[in-house]
Amino acid sequence: MKLANIERIGKSTAMELAYITGGVKAGFPSPAQDFMGEKIDLNRELVRHPFETFVVKVDGDSMKDAGIADGDRLIVDRSLAPEHDRIYVCCLNNEFTVKRIRIDKDTRTVWLIPENENYTPIRVPQEEENFTIWGRVVFAIKSF
């Protein structure tokens, strides 16, 4: 899975959208108009660290079983420290990729784990110079 179109979010004005409170039923029509009136600011909901947060577009299907599909946009926060078993954008040999990372402290190795059975995990030894854990994926934006 490659990434394209990396864009910094930065500090911008609020983007408020109508917010339907009380939930929306997925099985039958709901009189949602009865609950409209509040606003949701997507910047406030999705971005905790504006100057360290980026939007990237996904290119590929190696993370499809994690719910990340080709064409999705990912909100990536570069200020968050790497943690075992979280999903990150990494840079390996000058190429960006998104994978779940597994940190093996005993062997001083990071594993990049795809979530698609058609791909194999990538072993990254600690001494690998062309590897960076670039930022943590905190949200995925999908289109239907």
Side-chain angles (χ1 to χ4, degrees), residues 9-80:
I9 288 183
K11 188 100 176 148
S12 61
T13 58
M15 182 179 65
E16 292 185 341
L17 301 173
Y19 183 56
I20 299 171
T21 60
V24 175
K25 304 292 184 201
F28 56 90
S30 172
Q33 293 292 335
D34 295 344
F35 301 100
M36 291 184 71
E38 292 188 27
K39 300 283 185 188
I40 183 171
D41 178 352
L42 293 180
N43 288 327
R44 189 180 67 233
E45 295 295 323
L46 302 178
V47 178
R48 298 290 181 256
H49 307 104
F51 294 105
E52 295 295 328
T53 301
F54 294 78
V55 177
V56 298
K57 183 180 177 186
V58 175
D59 178 15
D61 64 355
S62 69
M63 295 299 287
K64 71 175 185 73
D65 293 338
I68 298 173
D70 185 55
D72 287 352
R73 267 57 171 193
L74 304 177
I75 307 294
V76 179
D77 189 333
R78 296 195 69 197
S79 70
L80 303 173

Side-chain angles (χ1 to χ4, degrees), residues 76-84 86-92 96-97 99 101-103 109-112 124 130-137:
V76 179
D77 189 333
R78 296 195 69 197
S79 70
L80 303 173
E83 292 181 26
H84 178 78
R86 297 269 191 164
I87 297 174
Y88 288 86
V89 170
C90 299
C91 187
L92 179 61
F96 285 103
T97 186
K99 299 284 184 287
I101 66 166
R102 301 264 163 81
I103 302 169
T109 301
V110 173
W111 288 89
L112 304 179
V124 183
N130 293 316
F131 175 70
T132 305
I133 298 173
W134 195 77
R136 185 193 302 174
V137 175

